[in-house]
Structure formats: structure tokens, C-alpha cells
Tab-separated table of all heavy atoms in Angstrom:
chain	number	residue	atom	x	y	z
A	833	ILE	N	-15.184	124.812	1.084
A	833	ILE	CA	-15.505	124.247	-0.218
A	833	ILE	C	-15.042	122.789	-0.305
A	833	ILE	O	-15.760	121.967	-0.817
A	833	ILE	CB	-14.882	125.116	-1.329
A	833	ILE	CG1	-15.568	126.459	-1.387
A	833	ILE	CG2	-14.965	124.397	-2.676
A	833	ILE	CD1	-14.938	127.475	-2.285
A	834	LEU	N	-13.829	122.568	0.153
A	834	LEU	CA	-13.303	121.131	0.151
A	834	LEU	C	-14.178	120.220	1.024
A	834	LEU	O	-14.464	119.055	0.673
A	834	LEU	CB	-11.868	121.113	0.587
A	834	LEU	CG	-10.853	121.646	-0.424
A	834	LEU	CD1	-9.476	121.606	0.205
A	834	LEU	CD2	-10.894	120.900	-1.738
A	835	GLY	N	-14.641	120.704	2.147
A	835	GLY	CA	-15.487	119.920	3.032
A	835	GLY	C	-16.841	119.608	2.333
A	835	GLY	O	-17.411	118.538	2.493
A	836	ALA	N	-17.396	120.656	1.643
A	836	ALA	CA	-18.636	120.428	0.929
A	836	ALA	C	-18.467	119.436	-0.166
A	836	ALA	O	-19.370	118.585	-0.403
A	836	ALA	CB	-19.185	121.722	0.411
A	837	LEU	N	-17.370	119.417	-0.851
A	837	LEU	CA	-17.146	118.485	-1.963
A	837	LEU	C	-16.987	117.073	-1.378
A	837	LEU	O	-17.462	116.069	-1.936
A	837	LEU	CB	-15.892	118.848	-2.752
A	837	LEU	CG	-16.030	120.085	-3.647
A	837	LEU	CD1	-14.676	120.418	-4.252
A	837	LEU	CD2	-17.050	119.833	-4.697
A	838	ALA	N	-16.338	116.941	-0.195
A	838	ALA	CA	-16.158	115.610	0.392
A	838	ALA	C	-17.502	115.112	0.867
A	838	ALA	O	-17.779	113.841	0.827
A	838	ALA	CB	-15.134	115.679	1.484
A	839	ALA	N	-18.364	115.910	1.427
A	839	ALA	CA	-19.622	115.477	1.897
A	839	ALA	C	-20.613	115.109	0.792
A	839	ALA	O	-21.529	114.304	1.015
A	839	ALA	CB	-20.246	116.580	2.766
A	840	GLY	N	-20.382	115.670	-0.378
A	840	GLY	CA	-21.306	115.359	-1.498
A	840	GLY	C	-21.010	114.060	-2.214
A	840	GLY	O	-21.790	113.613	-3.049
A	841	GLN	N	-19.883	113.395	-1.899
A	841	GLN	CA	-19.592	112.140	-2.531
A	841	GLN	C	-20.430	111.017	-2.008
A	841	GLN	O	-21.114	111.120	-0.922
A	841	GLN	CB	-18.108	111.780	-2.326
A	841	GLN	CG	-17.200	112.747	-3.088
A	841	GLN	CD	-15.735	112.389	-2.881
A	841	GLN	OE1	-15.429	111.419	-2.192
A	841	GLN	NE2	-14.854	113.132	-3.431
A	842	SER	N	-20.499	109.890	-2.698
A	842	SER	CA	-21.341	108.768	-2.320
A	842	SER	C	-20.799	108.215	-0.968
A	842	SER	O	-19.606	108.153	-0.764
A	842	SER	CB	-21.338	107.683	-3.344
A	842	SER	OG	-19.977	107.180	-3.507
A	843	PRO	N	-21.700	107.823	-0.104
A	843	PRO	CA	-21.284	107.288	1.223
A	843	PRO	C	-20.626	105.946	1.071
A	843	PRO	O	-21.093	105.093	0.365
A	843	PRO	CB	-22.526	107.252	2.047
A	843	PRO	CG	-23.621	107.088	0.990
A	843	PRO	CD	-23.155	107.841	-0.200
A	844	THR	N	-19.564	105.709	1.794
A	844	THR	CA	-18.980	104.413	1.852
A	844	THR	C	-19.332	103.801	3.235
A	844	THR	O	-19.303	104.486	4.224
A	844	THR	CB	-17.420	104.450	1.712
A	844	THR	OG1	-16.926	105.324	2.740
A	844	THR	CG2	-17.044	105.027	0.393
A	845	ARG	N	-19.649	102.574	3.218
A	845	ARG	CA	-20.073	101.902	4.439
A	845	ARG	C	-18.935	101.137	5.066
A	845	ARG	O	-18.107	100.634	4.362
A	845	ARG	CB	-21.241	100.973	4.180
A	845	ARG	CG	-22.451	101.714	3.560
A	845	ARG	CD	-23.676	100.920	3.778
A	845	ARG	NE	-24.877	101.514	3.210
A	845	ARG	CZ	-25.589	102.371	3.861
A	845	ARG	NH1	-25.373	102.696	5.090
A	845	ARG	NH2	-26.686	102.888	3.252
A	846	LEU	N	-18.956	101.097	6.370
A	846	LEU	CA	-17.959	100.261	7.046
A	846	LEU	C	-18.223	98.759	6.862
A	846	LEU	O	-17.348	97.958	6.856
A	846	LEU	CB	-17.947	100.616	8.517
A	846	LEU	CG	-17.494	102.022	8.890
A	846	LEU	CD1	-17.565	102.254	10.364
A	846	LEU	CD2	-16.010	102.288	8.391
A	847	ASN	N	-19.469	98.471	6.757
A	847	ASN	CA	-19.880	97.053	6.559
A	847	ASN	C	-20.307	96.844	5.098
A	847	ASN	O	-21.399	97.333	4.717
A	847	ASN	CB	-21.051	96.727	7.545
A	847	ASN	CG	-21.356	95.202	7.472
A	847	ASN	OD1	-20.897	94.480	6.646
A	847	ASN	ND2	-22.214	94.826	8.444
A	848	PRO	N	-19.535	96.139	4.313
A	848	PRO	CA	-19.961	95.982	2.882
A	848	PRO	C	-21.173	95.107	2.676
A	848	PRO	O	-21.765	95.123	1.580
A	848	PRO	CB	-18.714	95.326	2.246
A	848	PRO	CG	-17.975	94.668	3.358
A	848	PRO	CD	-18.294	95.493	4.589
A	849	MET	N	-21.589	94.402	3.717
A	849	MET	CA	-22.784	93.554	3.541
A	849	MET	C	-24.059	94.386	3.338
A	849	MET	O	-24.960	93.979	2.664
A	849	MET	CB	-22.971	92.637	4.831
A	849	MET	CG	-21.859	91.745	5.137
A	849	MET	SD	-21.766	90.536	3.832
A	849	MET	CE	-20.331	89.651	4.352
A	850	ILE	N	-24.099	95.609	3.881
A	850	ILE	CA	-25.246	96.452	3.750
A	850	ILE	C	-25.472	96.839	2.321
A	850	ILE	O	-26.585	96.787	1.805
A	850	ILE	CB	-25.114	97.690	4.650
A	850	ILE	CG1	-25.080	97.314	6.090
A	850	ILE	CG2	-26.223	98.692	4.358
A	850	ILE	CD1	-24.777	98.418	7.066
A	851	SER	N	-24.378	97.131	1.558
A	851	SER	CA	-24.465	97.475	0.172
A	851	SER	C	-24.948	96.253	-0.630
A	851	SER	O	-25.779	96.401	-1.557
A	851	SER	CB	-23.140	97.902	-0.363
A	851	SER	OG	-22.706	99.016	0.317
A	852	LEU	N	-24.523	95.061	-0.308
A	852	LEU	CA	-24.960	93.855	-1.006
A	852	LEU	C	-26.459	93.623	-0.714
A	852	LEU	O	-27.156	93.266	-1.624
A	852	LEU	CB	-24.164	92.658	-0.528
A	852	LEU	CG	-22.742	92.589	-0.928
A	852	LEU	CD1	-22.014	91.380	-0.356
A	852	LEU	CD2	-22.589	92.537	-2.439
A	853	LEU	N	-26.901	93.841	0.488
A	853	LEU	CA	-28.273	93.608	0.795
A	853	LEU	C	-29.199	94.652	0.079
A	853	LEU	O	-30.261	94.322	-0.369
A	853	LEU	CB	-28.529	93.708	2.317
A	853	LEU	CG	-27.954	92.535	3.112
A	853	LEU	CD1	-28.047	92.820	4.591
A	853	LEU	CD2	-28.680	91.242	2.798
A	854	GLN	N	-28.734	95.883	0.001
A	854	GLN	CA	-29.481	96.920	-0.674
A	854	GLN	C	-29.603	96.648	-2.204
A	854	GLN	O	-30.584	96.985	-2.854
A	854	GLN	CB	-28.880	98.310	-0.471
A	854	GLN	CG	-29.114	98.862	0.848
A	854	GLN	CD	-28.466	100.229	1.047
A	854	GLN	OE1	-27.532	100.556	0.395
A	854	GLN	NE2	-28.992	100.960	2.010
A	855	ALA	N	-28.558	96.011	-2.747
A	855	ALA	CA	-28.569	95.656	-4.147
A	855	ALA	C	-29.263	94.351	-4.458
A	855	ALA	O	-29.293	93.858	-5.534
A	855	ALA	CB	-27.131	95.605	-4.686
A	856	LYS	N	-29.832	93.754	-3.400
A	856	LYS	CA	-30.541	92.485	-3.443
A	856	LYS	C	-29.665	91.414	-4.007
A	856	LYS	O	-30.122	90.510	-4.747
A	856	LYS	CB	-31.806	92.627	-4.238
A	856	LYS	CG	-32.761	93.682	-3.766
A	856	LYS	CD	-34.138	93.266	-3.755
A	856	LYS	CE	-35.062	94.420	-3.379
A	856	LYS	NZ	-35.388	94.510	-2.049
A	857	LYS	N	-28.401	91.384	-3.560
A	857	LYS	CA	-27.455	90.333	-3.919
A	857	LYS	C	-27.349	89.348	-2.800
A	857	LYS	O	-27.608	89.647	-1.634
A	857	LYS	CB	-26.067	90.906	-4.252
A	857	LYS	CG	-26.066	91.783	-5.480
A	857	LYS	CD	-24.659	92.266	-5.777
A	857	LYS	CE	-24.626	93.086	-7.029
A	857	LYS	NZ	-23.306	93.535	-7.393
A	858	PRO	N	-26.953	88.082	-3.100
A	858	PRO	CA	-26.897	87.085	-2.005
A	858	PRO	C	-25.666	87.381	-1.109
A	858	PRO	O	-24.669	87.817	-1.548
A	858	PRO	CB	-26.732	85.766	-2.774
A	858	PRO	CG	-26.132	86.135	-4.129
A	858	PRO	CD	-26.729	87.458	-4.372
A	859	VAL	N	-25.924	87.083	0.205
A	859	VAL	CA	-24.860	87.251	1.188
A	859	VAL	C	-24.672	85.895	1.885
A	859	VAL	O	-25.633	85.308	2.335
A	859	VAL	CB	-25.271	88.312	2.218
A	859	VAL	CG1	-24.214	88.494	3.267
A	859	VAL	CG2	-25.516	89.656	1.542
A	860	PHE	N	-23.442	85.456	1.843
A	860	PHE	CA	-23.105	84.137	2.451
A	860	PHE	C	-22.172	84.322	3.598
A	860	PHE	O	-21.438	85.272	3.674
A	860	PHE	CB	-22.464	83.218	1.425
A	860	PHE	CG	-23.346	82.902	0.256
A	860	PHE	CD1	-23.268	83.585	-0.914
A	860	PHE	CD2	-24.300	81.890	0.368
A	860	PHE	CE1	-24.078	83.292	-1.989
A	860	PHE	CE2	-25.162	81.585	-0.656
A	860	PHE	CZ	-25.024	82.315	-1.868
A	861	GLY	N	-22.229	83.429	4.515
A	861	GLY	CA	-21.320	83.451	5.717
A	861	GLY	C	-20.995	82.073	6.176
A	861	GLY	O	-21.516	81.013	5.593
A	862	LEU	N	-20.134	81.971	7.082
A	862	LEU	CA	-19.784	80.673	7.676
A	862	LEU	C	-20.281	80.536	9.096
A	862	LEU	O	-20.308	81.510	9.862
A	862	LEU	CB	-18.222	80.535	7.775
A	862	LEU	CG	-17.541	80.320	6.395
A	862	LEU	CD1	-16.009	80.351	6.640
A	862	LEU	CD2	-17.973	79.060	5.761
A	863	TYR	N	-20.638	79.405	9.454
A	863	TYR	CA	-21.079	79.090	10.808
A	863	TYR	C	-19.861	78.592	11.518
A	863	TYR	O	-19.221	77.683	11.088
A	863	TYR	CB	-22.206	78.032	10.814
A	863	TYR	CG	-22.433	77.402	12.159
A	863	TYR	CD1	-23.024	78.130	13.203
A	863	TYR	CD2	-22.037	76.110	12.447
A	863	TYR	CE1	-23.218	77.548	14.419
A	863	TYR	CE2	-22.236	75.509	13.622
A	863	TYR	CZ	-22.821	76.228	14.657
A	863	TYR	OH	-22.996	75.654	15.849
A	864	ALA	N	-19.590	79.168	12.697
A	864	ALA	CA	-18.445	78.748	13.488
A	864	ALA	C	-18.932	77.999	14.694
A	864	ALA	O	-19.516	78.560	15.607
A	864	ALA	CB	-17.634	79.934	13.896
A	865	PRO	N	-18.809	76.644	14.677
A	865	PRO	CA	-19.271	75.874	15.862
A	865	PRO	C	-18.425	76.180	17.060
A	865	PRO	O	-17.274	76.535	16.979
A	865	PRO	CB	-19.083	74.416	15.407
A	865	PRO	CG	-18.080	74.478	14.342
A	865	PRO	CD	-18.188	75.786	13.658
A	866	SER	N	-19.036	76.088	18.217
A	866	SER	CA	-18.338	76.334	19.468
A	866	SER	C	-18.306	75.051	20.278
A	866	SER	O	-19.199	74.143	20.113
A	866	SER	CB	-18.965	77.433	20.258
A	866	SER	OG	-20.307	77.078	20.558
A	867	PRO	N	-17.305	74.919	21.191
A	867	PRO	CA	-17.328	73.668	21.941
A	867	PRO	C	-18.566	73.681	22.923
A	867	PRO	O	-19.047	74.706	23.287
A	867	PRO	CB	-16.056	73.811	22.773
A	867	PRO	CG	-15.520	75.169	22.578
A	867	PRO	CD	-16.263	75.733	21.435
A	868	PRO	N	-19.031	72.517	23.251
A	868	PRO	CA	-20.235	72.429	24.080
A	868	PRO	C	-19.901	72.983	25.496
A	868	PRO	O	-18.807	72.912	25.972
A	868	PRO	CB	-20.538	70.929	24.128
A	868	PRO	CG	-19.274	70.264	23.772
A	868	PRO	CD	-18.522	71.181	22.855
A	869	ARG	N	-20.931	73.533	26.071
A	869	ARG	CA	-20.760	74.107	27.430
A	869	ARG	C	-20.826	72.954	28.430
A	869	ARG	O	-21.522	71.981	28.259
A	869	ARG	CB	-21.928	75.084	27.720
A	869	ARG	CG	-21.803	76.254	26.818
A	869	ARG	CD	-22.876	77.247	27.120
A	869	ARG	NE	-22.762	78.358	26.178
A	869	ARG	CZ	-23.265	79.542	26.384
A	869	ARG	NH1	-23.867	79.843	27.506
A	869	ARG	NH2	-23.182	80.448	25.487
A	870	GLY	N	-20.040	73.100	29.463
A	870	GLY	CA	-19.976	72.026	30.486
A	870	GLY	C	-19.031	70.979	29.962
A	870	GLY	O	-18.388	71.081	28.923
A	871	ASN	N	-18.875	69.890	30.696
A	871	ASN	CA	-17.989	68.828	30.333
A	871	ASN	C	-18.672	67.493	30.036
A	871	ASN	O	-18.048	66.504	29.944
A	871	ASN	CB	-16.886	68.637	31.420
A	871	ASN	CG	-17.475	68.251	32.723
A	871	ASN	OD1	-18.711	68.189	32.877
A	871	ASN	ND2	-16.593	68.021	33.681
A	872	ARG	N	-19.960	67.496	29.876
A	872	ARG	CA	-20.728	66.287	29.671
A	872	ARG	C	-21.549	66.434	28.407
A	872	ARG	O	-22.095	67.442	28.086
A	872	ARG	CB	-21.624	65.989	30.844
A	872	ARG	CG	-20.909	65.945	32.183
A	872	ARG	CD	-21.260	64.690	32.919
A	872	ARG	NE	-20.601	64.688	34.172
A	872	ARG	CZ	-19.558	63.975	34.436
A	872	ARG	NH1	-19.030	63.226	33.515
A	872	ARG	NH2	-18.981	64.004	35.629
A	873	ALA	N	-21.641	65.322	27.654
A	873	ALA	CA	-22.492	65.263	26.524
A	873	ALA	C	-23.964	65.164	26.951
A	873	ALA	O	-24.255	64.555	27.990
A	873	ALA	CB	-22.146	64.043	25.645
A	874	PRO	N	-24.902	65.659	26.214
A	874	PRO	CA	-26.260	65.579	26.634
A	874	PRO	C	-26.756	64.148	26.693
A	874	PRO	O	-26.589	63.356	25.791
A	874	PRO	CB	-27.035	66.323	25.530
A	874	PRO	CG	-26.046	67.007	24.687
A	874	PRO	CD	-24.708	66.401	24.962
A	875	GLY	N	-27.278	63.763	27.808
A	875	GLY	CA	-27.831	62.423	28.032
A	875	GLY	C	-26.802	61.340	28.304
A	875	GLY	O	-27.079	60.141	28.288
């Protein structure tokens, strides 16, 4: 009975972004620049 009650509750997601996307809310993030590959600048 306790297992059935726990399974009947609303699902919680590990990634909260999915809930925001389903609610059609804006999702923002940060871009993390990485150092250039190699040791020379292009050109």
C-alpha cells in the first residue's frame, strides 16, 4: 500500500529544466568559453 501511494505522487525530475520547458517558461544558461586548441592563433 505504501509503495502504491508513493508511485501515485507527481513525478519529480532530476533535471529541473524539463519542467520549465514543459511549462513554456524561458530557460537561460551560460556559455563557457574554452581555450583555443593548439598553440597558435588562426592566421
